[in-house]
Amino acid sequence: MKSLRYEKMNGRSIRIHRIPAAIVAILVICLLIYLCNTDEEQQPAMYGMLRNQNKVNMRKLLIGSIQAAQRGGLEILSVARTRNLKERSKGKTDEGANDPFTDADARSHCVMKHGLQRIFPRIQIFSEEDKEQCNEANTFDLDPTVLHETAKIPDELINISDVTVWIDPLDATQEFTEQLYEYVTTMVCVAVRGKPVIGVIHSPFIGQTAWAWIDRSMSEYLATIIAGEHDTSNPIITVSRSHAGDVKDLVRAVFGEKSNILTAAGAGYKVLQVASNNATAYLHSTKIKKWDICAGDAILRALGGTMTTLDNKLIDYGRGESPVNARGLLATVVQHDQYIEKLMTYRENQKTKQR
Ligand SMILES: *[C@@H]1O[C@H](CO)[C@@H](O)[C@H](O)[C@H]1NC(C)=O
Ligand SMILES: *[C@@H]1O[C@H](CO)[C@@H](O)[C@H](O)[C@H]1NC(C)=O
């Protein structure tokens, strides 16, 4: 074995074997890199440490998003079981309806937001209940078994600064307080450079999670419902039960007196009605918050569908944007062009009349 000879101060020499020394040095470097590499990526040490430190693995973010929605759902179920919702009001919506808030909203928010933020500390997350203080929030660790066994999910790294996450800890709170539980959902959406890419809509009382990662994979539940044909001969428009008056008039004016209207609650629930062909379009004519619609936007896109404002613009979910979409909503799986054209023509005519 080759060795190096060093002269020590006192004149005696020691031998250091080159190969064992190199092994020790490599091990020390590995350990240092491993210790430094504590960001959310947890990439194999050594490999691409510097290159990946500003990236997030979308597969992990998908798994975390599904878990967050399901954990939020568990909090909601547990508050519902106690029947002690501690309901209070956040004020009035723009339509003048009461905007309620319960312990279920708070507990779901805390586990969803803080659970995700703990695993992905540098990602920008917006939640409907960001004002809420979370003292001892439950958390969770990533559990890939939330994906079905046949799901093929690639590891894909995306710049963290391009990612925004939108959380709705409890959609349809009003209906939750009325025990109309089927409408209640929890939602998580991941947008990349403002475009919705991953959507999760979890229905805790039905025990169903619909999720999609556009062009990559989707939940078994969504995969089975898209297998059905989309019947377009008979328009069925789903609208909100809480401010149905105006929007029902709009539907009849635009699509005819005999239009079929499905009144329902919760933007998440309504998107699922469109996804599953129980409705052919979802129409909303007033302001709506982005955490209400981002996950549905991603899921509909994954099914080949479209969600736009009433002036046919895509909605931007980037970090610099306002959390409010003030320009209404039309969501479909097929024939978006035909619906939007009728709507825009009608609105154009209304404007001309007013002049
Ligand atoms: C990520 O960000 C870096 C630096 O800001 C940029 O050079 C690179 O093109 C970005 N990568 C992607 C996939 O957007
Ligand atoms: C669609 O309607 C059918 C029949 O009413 C119902 O069983 C099903 O749950 C609905 N789908 C969704 C997503 O609610």
Side-chain angles (χ1 to χ4, degrees):
M1 196 178 276
K2 282 189 181 167
S3 64
L4 297 175
R5 187 183 292 267
Y6 290 97
E7 294 298 322
K8 272 198 163 182
M9 290 299 219
N10 62 11
R12 279 195 310 176
S13 66
I14 56 163
R15 282 156 177 268
I16 297 174
H17 293 287
R18 237 185 215 167
I19 291 170
I23 290 172
V24 168
I26 288 171
L27 287 178
V28 168
I29 290 169
C30 286
L31 183 66
L32 281 177
I33 290 178
Y34 182 78
L35 290 176
C36 294
N37 190 17
T38 51
D39 75 339
E40 56 260 45
E41 292 306 333
Q42 283 160 16
Q43 289 299 317
M46 295 286 284
Y47 179 72
M49 171 202 164
L50 286 172
R51 214 186 40 183
N52 291 343
Q53 66 180 355
N54 292 319
K55 307 258 166 129
V56 60
N57 184 330
M58 292 290 274
R59 182 180 62 83
K60 291 181 180 174
L61 198 46
L62 169 67
I63 293 167
S65 300
I66 295 170
Q67 283 181 271
Q70 293 178 345
R71 292 299 176 114
L74 290 178
E75 300 293 329
I76 294 171
L77 290 176
S78 119
V79 173
R81 266 196 300 272
T82 67
R83 305 207 164 243
N84 180 11
L85 310 185
K86 303 210 182 85
E87 184 184 342
R88 53 261 193 205
S89 179
K90 289 197 288 182
K92 294 234 188 283
T93 64
D94 289 339
E95 288 78 29
N98 179 39
D99 190 7
F101 179 79
T102 68
D103 266 11
D105 298 73
R107 281 173 50 180
S108 177
H109 159 78
C110 289
V111 69
M112 290 179 75
K113 169 131 184 188
H114 294 277
L116 270 182
Q117 197 85 78
R118 189 182 69 87
I119 303 172
F120 306 100
R122 287 154 61 219
I123 284 189
Q124 176 99 55
I125 304 180
F126 299 102
S127 161
E128 176 170 10
E129 310 302 345
D130 269 336
K131 292 192 197 84
E132 193 62 18
Q133 292 287 326
C134 298
N135 298 324
E136 39 187 281
N138 289 328
T139 54
F140 51 87
D141 293 313
L142 286 183
D143 174 11
T145 63
V146 293
L147 303 172
H148 49 283
E149 275 177 16
T150 53
K152 289 201 179 64
I153 318 284
D155 279 295
E156 208 168 292
L157 299 181
I158 298 279
N159 282 350
I160 285 180
S161 58
D162 286 341
V163 173
T164 44
V165 173
W166 296 84
I167 288 180
D168 192 338
L170 201 173
D171 191 31
T173 303
Q174 178 60 40
E175 287 68 26
F176 175 66
T177 65
E178 296 171 36
Q179 296 182 29
L180 297 171
Y181 290 142
E182 80 222 66
Y183 296 129
V184 171
T185 59
T186 59
M187 293 188 270
V188 182
C189 179
V190 178
V192 176
R193 289 185 290 277
K195 259 183 64 178
V197 170
I198 290 174
V200 183
I201 303 180
H202 174 64
S203 311
F205 294 94
I206 299 169
Q208 191 81 258
T209 311
W211 61 260
W213 178 5
I214 295 174
D215 294 336
R216 301 294 184 280
S217 192
M218 64 178 73
S219 62
E220 279 179 314
Y221 170 63
L222 283 181
T224 47
I225 60 178
I226 55 162
E229 286 279 296
H230 272 268
D231 176 10
T232 53
S233 55
N234 185 20
I236 306 167
I237 319 281
T238 184
V239 301
S240 175
R241 73 187 270 276
S242 60
H243 39 99
D246 297 345
V247 73
K248 272 187 184 168
D249 292 343
L250 179 66
V251 169
R252 293 204 188 89
V254 176
F255 303 104
E257 277 304 315
K258 295 217 180 76
S259 310
N260 297 291
I261 297 178
L262 175 66
T263 46
Y269 180 88
K270 277 173 272 181
V271 161
L272 292 178
Q273 299 312 303
V274 175
S276 64
N277 203 25
N278 284 356
T280 56
Y282 164 25
L283 179 66
H284 186 93
S285 59
T286 54
K287 277 184 197 166
I288 190 160
K289 302 283 177 51
K290 290 185 182 171
W291 38 73
D292 285 329
I293 56 179
C294 182
D297 198 340
I299 285 176
L300 288 178
R301 285 183 196 220
L303 301 178
T306 313
M307 180 183 284
T308 65
T309 61
L310 296 187
D311 43 7
N312 203 17
K313 298 270 184 345
L314 294 174
I315 297 151
D316 191 322
Y317 303 94
R319 60 173 71 197
E321 299 291 315
S322 156
V324 182
N325 163 38
R327 297 186 310 196
L329 193 74
L330 178 73
T332 57
V333 175
V334 288
Q335 294 186 332
H336 191 270
D337 291 353
Q338 294 175 28
Y339 286 98
I340 201 78
E341 199 183 305
K342 283 188 177 156
L343 265 165
M344 287 174 75
T345 310
Y346 171 79
R347 282 154 59 93
E348 218 28 66
N349 289 342
Q350 290 299 100
K351 270 190 216 153
T352 323
K353 272 188 204 158
Q354 279 165 14
R355 277 188 204 123

